[in-house]
Amino acid sequence: MPDGARNLQKYETYIDGKWTAARSGKTFETYNPYTGEAWALIPDCAKEEVDLAVEAAARAFESGPWSKMTATARGKALRRIAGLIERHAEHLAQIEVRDNGKLISEMLAQTKYMPEWYYYYGGIADKIHGQVVSVDRPEHFTYILKEPVGVCGFITPWNSPLMLATWKLAPALAAGCTAVIKPSEYTSASLLEFMRLVIAEADLPPGVVNVVTGTGVNAGEPLVTHPKVAKIAFTGGTLTGARVSELAAKSFKKVSLELGGKSPNIVFDDCNLEDAVSGAISGIFAATGQTCIAGSRLLVQETIHDVFVEKLVAMARQARLGDPSKFETQVGPVTTPPQYKKILSYIDIAKGEGANCVLGGGPAGKEEGGGTYFVKPTIFTGVDNKMRIAQEEVFGPVLSVIKFKDEEEAVRIANDIAYGLGAGIWTQSVKRAHGVAARIRAGTVWVNTYRAVSFLMPFGGYKASGLGRENGAEAIESYLQSKSVWINNGPGGGNPFVMKTSG
Ligand code: NAD
C-alpha cells in the first residue's frame, strides 16, 4: 500500500499466519542504498509482537497440526517452499538489491541457489533416526530419540538476508522446529516478500514461521530472552554475538553464532598468478567487501609481491562501480550509512598507521560511477599484521596486503588474529595445499578458489568467528536433542538408595 505523497510501499509483518502492523502503529523507513532514498515502511515491532510471535510458534510446536505432521509430510512442505522460491527467485533478488544495494548478479545467484537448501533438508527430514543402543544391562531395552529442540529465534544481518535466514530455517523446519525470524532493521523487506510469496503459499500451518521486524534492542533482545525460545541462531557482528550469547545463557538456550571475520588469502610464489589475482579481487571487492568471509588480509610471498600487487591494482582499477540493479556493475554501494562512515574511518586509521594506499582510499563520486554511499576499491600495501587495519573487521572494499617470507611465516600471520572464519591458499603444490589447509585455524579453507559455499558443506567459525556450524548434514543436529529411553524388561527391586549401574 503506498504511503501518501511519498509513495512508499507499506509492509506488514507476519505472525501466526496473519499479516499485522506493530501494535504501537510505529514504522521505520527502509532505504535504497544506491539512490539514498526511502522506498518502504517496515513495522517497528517490539516485545509485544515478539511475545505474540513466540506464543504462536510455541502453539504450532506443541499442539498445532505441525506437531502432528509426519517427518515425510514436513519434507514435502520443504520441497513446496523450494518450488515457490524457484518461481519467485527473480523478484526476491530484485527486492534484495533495492534494499541492500548488492549486485543483481550476486543476489540472483543466491536466490536461484536457495531452493537447494529446502530440497536437501526436505530430503533429510524423514531420515532423522534415533538409535537402539545395547547397554550393559541385558534386561533393559534402551534407545535414543532425536527430538526437535522447539521454538527457534533467528536473527540475521543486512548483507545476505534471505540466504542467511535460509541456512537456519531449512534445517530447523526439517527437524520439526518452529521459528520466529528477526531480520536486520536495514534490510527487512526481502524476508517479508519471502513470507508473502513463499511461506504464506506453502500450505504451512499458522505459527510455524513468523517474522518480527524491528531493531536489535527492541525486537532482538526480547526474542533472545523469551523463556519459550529454546534456541537462538544468530548471524551478525562479533560484539553483538557476544551480547546475544550472554543474554541467551541466562535462560540456558542453545546458541549458534555466525560472526565476523578477517580472513587471510595467502598467495604463494608457485601459484597461477592470473587465478590468484582474480581470487584476491573476488575475496575483497565482491559484494563491496560486505561479506563475513571477505579475504581482507592478502598475504603475498615476498618473491612475487611487487609483480602481484601491480597486476592486482591494474585489475581492481578496472572495476565498474554503479547501479547494482545492472548486470554489468561490479561494485555497488555500501548498504548502510553507519557502515559507510565506518569504512571511511578505517581508511583514515590505515593511513594514520603508516600503511601505503596504492588504490582508492576514499568515497567514489558520481564521475567514477559511484554516488551517495560508494567507497572506492581500496588497497593498502606495507601493512603489518599488528596494525588495526589488519586485525579489525572493516566489512567494506578495503584490502590489506601483508608480505611474508616462507610457509612458516604465512601460517603464523594467518593464525595471528582473533577471528577464524575463512582462508584462501593459492599454490600449485598439492603437498603445500593440504599441509597449510590443515594448519589454518578457520572453519573454511579454499585452495585455488575463494567464496565458494554449498548447502552440502558445513560453514562456521573458529575462535571469535562463531559457535556451531550451518549447512551440511551436521547442521540439523543443532535443531535436535537426544532423549534416552530405558525400558526395564527384567525384575524390579534392588537397593533404592543406590544408583543403578552395572557395577
Ligand atoms: P549486527 O551485529 O549489527 O546486527 C545483526 C543482527 O543483530 C541485526 O538483525 C540486529 O538488529 C540484531 N541485533 C543488534 N543488537 C542486538 C541485540 N542486542 N540483541 C539481539 N539482536 C541484536 O551485524 P550487521 O551489521 O547487521 O552485519 C554485519 C556483521 O555480520 C559483520 O560482522 C559480518 O561479518 C557478520 N556476518 C557474519 C556471517 C557469518 O556467517 N559468519 C554472515 C554475514 C554477516
Side-chain angles (χ1 to χ4, degrees), residues 193-222:
E193 291 282 337
F194 175 81
M195 299 306 287
R196 178 175 75 83
L197 295 169
V198 177
I199 297 298
E201 297 299 318
D203 203 18
L204 291 176
V208 174
V209 187
N210 310 272
V211 173
V212 180
T213 49
T215 64
V217 170
N218 292 343
E221 292 205 2

PDB file of all heavy atoms in Angstrom, residues 193-222:
ATOM      1  N   GLU A 193       8.725 -10.166   1.767  1.00  0.00           N
ATOM      2  CA  GLU A 193       8.304 -10.640   0.433  1.00  0.00           C
ATOM      3  C   GLU A 193       8.370 -12.174   0.377  1.00  0.00           C
ATOM      4  O   GLU A 193       7.511 -12.824  -0.218  1.00  0.00           O
ATOM      5  CB  GLU A 193       9.209 -10.047  -0.652  1.00  0.00           C
ATOM      6  CG  GLU A 193       9.028  -8.552  -0.852  1.00  0.00           C
ATOM      7  CD  GLU A 193       7.776  -8.203  -1.659  1.00  0.00           C
ATOM      8  OE1 GLU A 193       7.280  -9.053  -2.412  1.00  0.00           O
ATOM      9  OE2 GLU A 193       7.288  -7.051  -1.512  1.00  0.00           O
ATOM     10  N   PHE A 194       9.397 -12.728   1.014  1.00  0.00           N
ATOM     11  CA  PHE A 194       9.550 -14.186   1.068  1.00  0.00           C
ATOM     12  C   PHE A 194       8.353 -14.805   1.813  1.00  0.00           C
ATOM     13  O   PHE A 194       7.811 -15.837   1.404  1.00  0.00           O
ATOM     14  CB  PHE A 194      10.874 -14.503   1.774  1.00  0.00           C
ATOM     15  CG  PHE A 194      11.138 -15.956   2.033  1.00  0.00           C
ATOM     16  CD1 PHE A 194      11.638 -16.782   1.037  1.00  0.00           C
ATOM     17  CD2 PHE A 194      10.932 -16.509   3.299  1.00  0.00           C
ATOM     18  CE1 PHE A 194      11.912 -18.123   1.281  1.00  0.00           C
ATOM     19  CE2 PHE A 194      11.204 -17.842   3.557  1.00  0.00           C
ATOM     20  CZ  PHE A 194      11.692 -18.653   2.546  1.00  0.00           C
ATOM     21  N   MET A 195       7.927 -14.156   2.889  1.00  0.00           N
ATOM     22  CA  MET A 195       6.777 -14.667   3.646  1.00  0.00           C
ATOM     23  C   MET A 195       5.518 -14.622   2.776  1.00  0.00           C
ATOM     24  O   MET A 195       4.731 -15.561   2.753  1.00  0.00           O
ATOM     25  CB  MET A 195       6.558 -13.834   4.917  1.00  0.00           C
ATOM     26  CG  MET A 195       7.706 -13.843   5.898  1.00  0.00           C
ATOM     27  SD  MET A 195       8.267 -15.467   6.407  1.00  0.00           S
ATOM     28  CE  MET A 195       6.938 -15.972   7.464  1.00  0.00           C
ATOM     29  N   ARG A 196       5.357 -13.526   2.044  1.00  0.00           N
ATOM     30  CA  ARG A 196       4.153 -13.348   1.213  1.00  0.00           C
ATOM     31  C   ARG A 196       4.108 -14.347   0.057  1.00  0.00           C
ATOM     32  O   ARG A 196       3.093 -15.000  -0.182  1.00  0.00           O
ATOM     33  CB  ARG A 196       4.144 -11.899   0.674  1.00  0.00           C
ATOM     34  CG  ARG A 196       2.977 -11.565  -0.241  1.00  0.00           C
ATOM     35  CD  ARG A 196       3.001 -10.083  -0.620  1.00  0.00           C
ATOM     36  NE  ARG A 196       4.005  -9.721  -1.593  1.00  0.00           N
ATOM     37  CZ  ARG A 196       3.883  -9.839  -2.915  1.00  0.00           C
ATOM     38  NH1 ARG A 196       2.753 -10.324  -3.421  1.00  0.00           N
ATOM     39  NH2 ARG A 196       4.852  -9.477  -3.729  1.00  0.00           N
ATOM     40  N   LEU A 197       5.233 -14.469  -0.641  1.00  0.00           N
ATOM     41  CA  LEU A 197       5.239 -15.258  -1.880  1.00  0.00           C
ATOM     42  C   LEU A 197       5.544 -16.730  -1.654  1.00  0.00           C
ATOM     43  O   LEU A 197       5.176 -17.569  -2.465  1.00  0.00           O
ATOM     44  CB  LEU A 197       6.280 -14.688  -2.851  1.00  0.00           C
ATOM     45  CG  LEU A 197       5.991 -13.273  -3.351  1.00  0.00           C
ATOM     46  CD1 LEU A 197       7.203 -12.708  -4.073  1.00  0.00           C
ATOM     47  CD2 LEU A 197       4.771 -13.277  -4.256  1.00  0.00           C
ATOM     48  N   VAL A 198       6.218 -17.028  -0.571  1.00  0.00           N
ATOM     49  CA  VAL A 198       6.685 -18.409  -0.377  1.00  0.00           C
ATOM     50  C   VAL A 198       5.997 -19.053   0.839  1.00  0.00           C
ATOM     51  O   VAL A 198       5.202 -19.983   0.692  1.00  0.00           O
ATOM     52  CB  VAL A 198       8.223 -18.451  -0.239  1.00  0.00           C
ATOM     53  CG1 VAL A 198       8.704 -19.863   0.026  1.00  0.00           C
ATOM     54  CG2 VAL A 198       8.878 -17.883  -1.503  1.00  0.00           C
ATOM     55  N   ILE A 199       6.266 -18.538   2.032  1.00  0.00           N
ATOM     56  CA  ILE A 199       5.776 -19.216   3.241  1.00  0.00           C
ATOM     57  C   ILE A 199       4.245 -19.215   3.297  1.00  0.00           C
ATOM     58  O   ILE A 199       3.623 -20.248   3.560  1.00  0.00           O
ATOM     59  CB  ILE A 199       6.395 -18.579   4.514  1.00  0.00           C
ATOM     60  CG1 ILE A 199       7.919 -18.769   4.510  1.00  0.00           C
ATOM     61  CG2 ILE A 199       5.776 -19.148   5.781  1.00  0.00           C
ATOM     62  CD1 ILE A 199       8.416 -20.207   4.531  1.00  0.00           C
ATOM     63  N   ALA A 200       3.631 -18.062   3.006  1.00  0.00           N
ATOM     64  CA  ALA A 200       2.166 -17.992   3.081  1.00  0.00           C
ATOM     65  C   ALA A 200       1.498 -18.867   2.017  1.00  0.00           C
ATOM     66  O   ALA A 200       0.321 -19.205   2.141  1.00  0.00           O
ATOM     67  CB  ALA A 200       1.706 -16.537   2.940  1.00  0.00           C
ATOM     68  N   GLU A 201       2.229 -19.238   0.981  1.00  0.00           N
ATOM     69  CA  GLU A 201       1.662 -20.040  -0.117  1.00  0.00           C
ATOM     70  C   GLU A 201       2.044 -21.509  -0.024  1.00  0.00           C
ATOM     71  O   GLU A 201       1.649 -22.313  -0.864  1.00  0.00           O
ATOM     72  CB  GLU A 201       2.157 -19.485  -1.469  1.00  0.00           C
ATOM     73  CG  GLU A 201       1.715 -18.061  -1.768  1.00  0.00           C
ATOM     74  CD  GLU A 201       0.199 -17.924  -1.848  1.00  0.00           C
ATOM     75  OE1 GLU A 201      -0.441 -18.819  -2.454  1.00  0.00           O
ATOM     76  OE2 GLU A 201      -0.350 -16.955  -1.290  1.00  0.00           O
ATOM     77  N   ALA A 202       2.864 -21.855   0.968  1.00  0.00           N
ATOM     78  CA  ALA A 202       3.426 -23.214   1.003  1.00  0.00           C
ATOM     79  C   ALA A 202       2.564 -24.188   1.808  1.00  0.00           C
ATOM     80  O   ALA A 202       2.976 -25.317   2.064  1.00  0.00           O
ATOM     81  CB  ALA A 202       4.849 -23.174   1.578  1.00  0.00           C
ATOM     82  N   ASP A 203       1.379 -23.732   2.216  1.00  0.00           N
ATOM     83  CA  ASP A 203       0.458 -24.578   2.965  1.00  0.00           C
ATOM     84  C   ASP A 203       1.065 -25.068   4.281  1.00  0.00           C
ATOM     85  O   ASP A 203       0.929 -26.234   4.641  1.00  0.00           O
ATOM     86  CB  ASP A 203       0.049 -25.771   2.062  1.00  0.00           C
ATOM     87  CG  ASP A 203      -1.278 -26.360   2.505  1.00  0.00           C
ATOM     88  OD1 ASP A 203      -2.008 -25.662   3.242  1.00  0.00           O
ATOM     89  OD2 ASP A 203      -1.556 -27.523   2.154  1.00  0.00           O
ATOM     90  N   LEU A 204       1.733 -24.147   4.967  1.00  0.00           N
ATOM     91  CA  LEU A 204       2.261 -24.464   6.298  1.00  0.00           C
ATOM     92  C   LEU A 204       1.216 -24.056   7.323  1.00  0.00           C
ATOM     93  O   LEU A 204       0.553 -23.033   7.159  1.00  0.00           O
ATOM     94  CB  LEU A 204       3.536 -23.662   6.581  1.00  0.00           C
ATOM     95  CG  LEU A 204       4.794 -23.997   5.805  1.00  0.00           C
ATOM     96  CD1 LEU A 204       5.907 -23.017   6.167  1.00  0.00           C
ATOM     97  CD2 LEU A 204       5.241 -25.405   6.078  1.00  0.00           C
ATOM     98  N   PRO A 205       1.065 -24.791   8.403  1.00  0.00           N
ATOM     99  CA  PRO A 205       0.118 -24.363   9.445  1.00  0.00           C
ATOM    100  C   PRO A 205       0.530 -23.010  10.034  1.00  0.00           C
ATOM    101  O   PRO A 205       1.725 -22.683  10.049  1.00  0.00           O
ATOM    102  CB  PRO A 205       0.245 -25.466  10.502  1.00  0.00           C
ATOM    103  CG  PRO A 205       0.891 -26.617   9.820  1.00  0.00           C
ATOM    104  CD  PRO A 205       1.727 -26.061   8.715  1.00  0.00           C
ATOM    105  N   PRO A 206      -0.451 -22.234  10.537  1.00  0.00           N
ATOM    106  CA  PRO A 206      -0.104 -20.937  11.129  1.00  0.00           C
ATOM    107  C   PRO A 206       0.856 -21.083  12.300  1.00  0.00           C
ATOM    108  O   PRO A 206       0.803 -22.072  13.026  1.00  0.00           O
ATOM    109  CB  PRO A 206      -1.462 -20.379  11.607  1.00  0.00           C
ATOM    110  CG  PRO A 206      -2.468 -21.434  11.391  1.00  0.00           C
ATOM    111  CD  PRO A 206      -1.872 -22.526  10.566  1.00  0.00           C
ATOM    112  N   GLY A 207       1.738 -20.103  12.428  1.00  0.00           N
ATOM    113  CA  GLY A 207       2.650 -20.091  13.575  1.00  0.00           C
ATOM    114  C   GLY A 207       3.951 -20.840  13.355  1.00  0.00           C
ATOM    115  O   GLY A 207       4.854 -20.748  14.177  1.00  0.00           O
ATOM    116  N   VAL A 208       4.061 -21.579  12.262  1.00  0.00           N
ATOM    117  CA  VAL A 208       5.295 -22.355  12.054  1.00  0.00           C
ATOM    118  C   VAL A 208       6.462 -21.427  11.733  1.00  0.00           C
ATOM    119  O   VAL A 208       7.568 -21.598  12.247  1.00  0.00           O
ATOM    120  CB  VAL A 208       5.103 -23.420  10.943  1.00  0.00           C
ATOM    121  CG1 VAL A 208       6.422 -24.115  10.622  1.00  0.00           C
ATOM    122  CG2 VAL A 208       4.055 -24.431  11.371  1.00  0.00           C
ATOM    123  N   VAL A 209       6.211 -20.410  10.891  1.00  0.00           N
ATOM    124  CA  VAL A 209       7.256 -19.416  10.606  1.00  0.00           C
ATOM    125  C   VAL A 209       6.647 -18.024  10.817  1.00  0.00           C
ATOM    126  O   VAL A 209       5.611 -17.702  10.239  1.00  0.00           O
ATOM    127  CB  VAL A 209       7.780 -19.521   9.155  1.00  0.00           C
ATOM    128  CG1 VAL A 209       8.981 -18.581   8.968  1.00  0.00           C
ATOM    129  CG2 VAL A 209       8.179 -20.947   8.799  1.00  0.00           C
ATOM    130  N   ASN A 210       7.282 -17.240  11.653  1.00  0.00           N
ATOM    131  CA  ASN A 210       6.796 -15.887  11.985  1.00  0.00           C
ATOM    132  C   ASN A 210       7.933 -14.901  11.802  1.00  0.00           C
ATOM    133  O   ASN A 210       9.101 -15.265  11.949  1.00  0.00           O
ATOM    134  CB  ASN A 210       6.343 -15.822  13.447  1.00  0.00           C
ATOM    135  CG  ASN A 210       5.390 -16.944  13.804  1.00  0.00           C
ATOM    136  OD1 ASN A 210       4.188 -16.824  13.640  1.00  0.00           O
ATOM    137  ND2 ASN A 210       5.935 -18.068  14.271  1.00  0.00           N
ATOM    138  N   VAL A 211       7.569 -13.657  11.533  1.00  0.00           N
ATOM    139  CA  VAL A 211       8.601 -12.619  11.398  1.00  0.00           C
ATOM    140  C   VAL A 211       8.280 -11.465  12.339  1.00  0.00           C
ATOM    141  O   VAL A 211       7.116 -11.058  12.453  1.00  0.00           O
ATOM    142  CB  VAL A 211       8.667 -12.092   9.948  1.00  0.00           C
ATOM    143  CG1 VAL A 211       9.612 -10.896   9.850  1.00  0.00           C
ATOM    144  CG2 VAL A 211       9.151 -13.190   9.010  1.00  0.00           C
ATOM    145  N   VAL A 212       9.295 -10.970  13.015  1.00  0.00           N
ATOM    146  CA  VAL A 212       9.153  -9.767  13.832  1.00  0.00           C
ATOM    147  C   VAL A 212      10.212  -8.777  13.357  1.00  0.00           C
ATOM    148  O   VAL A 212      11.406  -9.010  13.534  1.00  0.00           O
ATOM    149  CB  VAL A 212       9.359 -10.081  15.325  1.00  0.00           C
ATOM    150  CG1 VAL A 212       9.215  -8.816  16.141  1.00  0.00           C
ATOM    151  CG2 VAL A 212       8.358 -11.110  15.796  1.00  0.00           C
ATOM    152  N   THR A 213       9.773  -7.703  12.730  1.00  0.00           N
ATOM    153  CA  THR A 213      10.723  -6.692  12.243  1.00  0.00           C
ATOM    154  C   THR A 213      10.959  -5.663  13.352  1.00  0.00           C
ATOM    155  O   THR A 213      10.092  -5.438  14.192  1.00  0.00           O
ATOM    156  CB  THR A 213      10.162  -5.987  10.992  1.00  0.00           C
ATOM    157  OG1 THR A 213       8.813  -5.587  11.267  1.00  0.00           O
ATOM    158  CG2 THR A 213      10.177  -6.908   9.790  1.00  0.00           C
ATOM    159  N   GLY A 214      12.125  -5.056  13.336  1.00  0.00           N
ATOM    160  CA  GLY A 214      12.408  -4.049  14.367  1.00  0.00           C
ATOM    161  C   GLY A 214      13.893  -4.010  14.660  1.00  0.00           C
ATOM    162  O   GLY A 214      14.692  -4.711  14.034  1.00  0.00           O
ATOM    163  N   THR A 215      14.248  -3.207  15.637  1.00  0.00           N
ATOM    164  CA  THR A 215      15.677  -3.042  15.942  1.00  0.00           C
ATOM    165  C   THR A 215      16.187  -4.191  16.813  1.00  0.00           C
ATOM    166  O   THR A 215      15.401  -4.950  17.404  1.00  0.00           O
ATOM    167  CB  THR A 215      15.922  -1.727  16.701  1.00  0.00           C
ATOM    168  OG1 THR A 215      15.249  -1.821  17.959  1.00  0.00           O
ATOM    169  CG2 THR A 215      15.429  -0.517  15.935  1.00  0.00           C
ATOM    170  N   GLY A 216      17.507  -4.237  16.924  1.00  0.00           N
ATOM    171  CA  GLY A 216      18.129  -5.274  17.736  1.00  0.00           C
ATOM    172  C   GLY A 216      17.703  -5.182  19.193  1.00  0.00           C
ATOM    173  O   GLY A 216      17.362  -6.182  19.826  1.00  0.00           O
ATOM    174  N   VAL A 217      17.681  -3.965  19.724  1.00  0.00           N
ATOM    175  CA  VAL A 217      17.353  -3.806  21.142  1.00  0.00           C
ATOM    176  C   VAL A 217      15.859  -4.037  21.383  1.00  0.00           C
ATOM    177  O   VAL A 217      15.465  -4.771  22.296  1.00  0.00           O
ATOM    178  CB  VAL A 217      17.799  -2.408  21.626  1.00  0.00           C
ATOM    179  CG1 VAL A 217      17.269  -2.115  23.022  1.00  0.00           C
ATOM    180  CG2 VAL A 217      19.321  -2.322  21.611  1.00  0.00           C
ATOM    181  N   ASN A 218      15.009  -3.459  20.535  1.00  0.00           N
ATOM    182  CA  ASN A 218      13.566  -3.537  20.801  1.00  0.00           C
ATOM    183  C   ASN A 218      12.942  -4.881  20.449  1.00  0.00           C
ATOM    184  O   ASN A 218      12.022  -5.336  21.118  1.00  0.00           O
ATOM    185  CB  ASN A 218      12.820  -2.441  20.033  1.00  0.00           C
ATOM    186  CG  ASN A 218      13.143  -1.069  20.574  1.00  0.00           C
ATOM    187  OD1 ASN A 218      13.654  -0.943  21.683  1.00  0.00           O
ATOM    188  ND2 ASN A 218      12.870  -0.041  19.783  1.00  0.00           N
ATOM    189  N   ALA A 219      13.400  -5.492  19.351  1.00  0.00           N
ATOM    190  CA  ALA A 219      12.795  -6.758  18.924  1.00  0.00           C
ATOM    191  C   ALA A 219      13.757  -7.935  19.111  1.00  0.00           C
ATOM    192  O   ALA A 219      13.321  -9.041  19.435  1.00  0.00           O
ATOM    193  CB  ALA A 219      12.376  -6.658  17.456  1.00  0.00           C
ATOM    194  N   GLY A 220      15.060  -7.686  18.925  1.00  0.00           N
ATOM    195  CA  GLY A 220      16.035  -8.781  19.031  1.00  0.00           C
ATOM    196  C   GLY A 220      16.164  -9.283  20.463  1.00  0.00           C
ATOM    197  O   GLY A 220      16.080 -10.491  20.724  1.00  0.00           O
ATOM    198  N   GLU A 221      16.356  -8.359  21.398  1.00  0.00           N
ATOM    199  CA  GLU A 221      16.602  -8.792  22.786  1.00  0.00           C
ATOM    200  C   GLU A 221      15.400  -9.523  23.401  1.00  0.00           C
ATOM    201  O   GLU A 221      15.588 -10.556  24.053  1.00  0.00           O
ATOM    202  CB  GLU A 221      17.052  -7.599  23.640  1.00  0.00           C
ATOM    203  CG  GLU A 221      18.428  -7.131  23.200  1.00  0.00           C
ATOM    204  CD  GLU A 221      19.242  -6.403  24.264  1.00  0.00           C
ATOM    205  OE1 GLU A 221      18.766  -6.271  25.417  1.00  0.00           O
ATOM    206  OE2 GLU A 221      20.369  -5.977  23.939  1.00  0.00           O
ATOM    207  N   PRO A 222      14.152  -9.027  23.200  1.00  0.00           N
ATOM    208  CA  PRO A 222      13.028  -9.801  23.746  1.00  0.00           C
ATOM    209  C   PRO A 222      12.938 -11.216  23.164  1.00  0.00           C
ATOM    210  O   PRO A 222      12.486 -12.140  23.839  1.00  0.00           O
ATOM    211  CB  PRO A 222      11.790  -8.981  23.339  1.00  0.00           C
ATOM    212  CG  PRO A 222      12.292  -7.612  23.085  1.00  0.00           C
ATOM    213  CD  PRO A 222      13.711  -7.746  22.625  1.00  0.00           C
TER     214      PRO A 222
END
